[in-house]
Amino acid sequence: MGAEQRSAGPAWPVLRVADWTDTRDTLHMWTQIVGKIRMAHAPLVNHWWQVTLYVSPRGLTTSTVPYGAGAFEIEFDFVAHRLEVRSSDGGTGGLALRPMSVADFYAETMAVLRRLGVEAPIRPVPNEVDPAVPFPDDHVHASYDGEAAGLFWRQLLQANRLIGEFRSRFVGKVSPVHFFWGAMDLACTRFSGRPAPPHPGGAPNCGDWVMVEGYSHELSSCGFWPGGGEEGAFYAYAYPEPDGFSGYPVKAEGAVFSPEFQQFVLPYEAVRAADDPDRVVREFLQSTYEAAAELGKWDRAALEVDPGRWLGRMR
């Protein structure tokens, strides 16, 4: 499929999930490898916030990972289509992102780290997928469509921008906007401040204790992932889900509560085709949060804030 069919301009590109499923699934495994390398060296932060990747001006990055007395960073560069590794001692290395198996990507990435003097003891098996083929044995996932990867990154840029804006309106405990490689989604989570009942778990090839840590406190979470719609979807859910949540009147046109996913879903294609995509996403994020906060009896007056409160003095 040519660029004229897959892109609707630089801001909200067209990328049908069906057109890049093989690349998506391969890239998912690659991000798990890089995410596990970060997890091996970053100290535990509540709800596993230390394991995530972040949207960067060129792709997805680990950000700074502590190592010994220094640090390193790994970045998926979807502009130059390279995996770049940079160390605080001045060392650099990397490899071309190209059609190759998960097994080859794993071997080449580890070789780059060894050349830079970085040890990366990880459990080389993916999480939250079934079947969970060990990375050294995965020769099935071996696709890389660079154009599609770049368009996905541009979807993430838009989601990161708007979810980041939404995040700024909350003064309570709130996560960064970050990319969880387990489910391959960009997420941001607000918390009421109250503990939650233990999560029952159930994610494939992922210990229930992982979910217990992730969902230890009442939350309202939103994000974007390359599924749930023809071109991906924005999503929102609450844990624990308050009574009446699924029937709450969410304002964003095109948004529905999905019984399959047990969350509100706003298809990306509905956003992209809207006269004002930013407004639709803002409405979705705000109204789904209100569903959790109002029905869950959050102390909204203590948790919400005006992000423009100092603008007059900053100019």
Side-chain angles (χ1 to χ4, degrees):
M1 181 178 291
E4 70 282 0
Q5 294 173 285
R6 295 171 89 170
S7 177
W12 294 93
V14 177
L15 179 61
R16 289 175 51 85
V17 173
D19 294 337
W20 79 294
T21 301
D22 290 344
T23 291
R24 180 196 66 175
D25 294 348
T26 300
L27 186 59
H28 186 188
M29 295 300 97
W30 292 359
T31 61
Q32 290 222 8
I33 291 167
V34 171
K36 282 173 174 275
I37 292 168
R38 182 182 183 204
M39 183 170 65
H41 296 293
L44 175 67
V45 178
N46 49 197
H47 316 294
W48 308 110
W49 293 352
Q50 86 281 7
V51 311
T52 56
L53 306 181
Y54 302 92
V55 177
S56 77
R58 297 182 69 92
L60 285 168
T61 177
T62 59
S63 73
T64 301
V65 180
Y67 187 76
F72 67 94
E73 175 188 20
I74 306 176
E75 181 177 32
F76 287 93
D77 183 336
F78 296 131
V79 178
H81 301 290
R82 286 187 54 79
L83 186 78
E84 299 287 2
V85 184
R86 295 177 284 270
S87 173
S88 58
D89 65 7
T92 60
L95 55 101
L97 299 178
R98 63 193 189 279
M100 61 175 157
S101 69
V102 171
D104 287 343
F105 178 88
Y106 174 70
E108 292 191 27
T109 300
M110 292 303 179
V112 169
L113 291 174
R114 284 194 297 272
R115 287 195 294 272
L116 294 176
V118 175
E119 296 182 4
I122 70 171
R123 181 174 179 267
V125 179
N127 299 111
E128 299 186 51
V129 296
D130 187 25
V133 180
F135 303 136
D137 302 328
D138 188 347
H139 299 279
V140 174
H141 296 108
S143 300
Y144 184 75
D145 178 340
E147 181 188 0
L151 292 175
F152 174 55
W153 163 63
R154 292 195 173 278
Q155 289 181 323
L156 291 177
L157 281 174
Q158 296 305 315
N160 186 73
R161 175 177 63 85
L162 289 167
I163 296 171
E165 175 190 289
F166 172 69
R167 180 184 185 273
S168 71
R169 302 191 185 105
F170 201 73
V171 75
K173 178 179 173 180
V174 58
S175 78
V177 183
H178 47 194
F179 184 88
F180 276 101
W181 39 266
M184 202 181 185
D185 66 313
L186 190 74
C188 180
T189 306
R190 292 175 168 186
F191 295 84
S192 73
R194 300 188 297 251
H199 194 280
N205 294 295
C206 186
D208 291 348
W209 55 274
V210 175
M211 297 302 171
V212 169
E213 170 64 32
Y215 294 88
S216 62
H217 288 72
E218 286 185 350
L219 58 82
S220 172
S221 191
C222 62
F224 173 81
W225 96 106
E230 290 186 1
E231 300 174 23
F234 290 88
Y235 68 82
Y237 64 89
Y239 181 80
E241 184 179 302
D243 291 341
F245 181 75
S246 64
Y248 194 87
V250 171
K251 297 176 182 178
E253 184 176 352
V256 298
F257 186 84
S258 168
E260 177 186 1
F261 298 117
Q262 287 296 297
Q263 56 192 352
F264 286 103
V265 173
L266 174 63
Y268 174 89
E269 57 269 22
V271 174
R272 177 182 55 75
D275 292 337
D276 188 347
D278 286 16
R279 175 185 57 80
V280 174
V281 174
R282 289 179 182 126
E283 289 177 346
F284 178 76
L285 298 175
Q286 181 63 27
S287 58
T288 53
Y289 159 69
E290 289 175 356
E294 286 294 314
L295 298 174
K297 297 180 172 55
W298 290 26
D299 185 356
R300 294 185 60 187
L303 295 171
E304 297 172 26
V305 70
D306 175 13
R309 58 196 178 279
W310 297 111
L311 284 181
R313 299 190 179 188
M314 291 168 62
R315 294 179 180 145

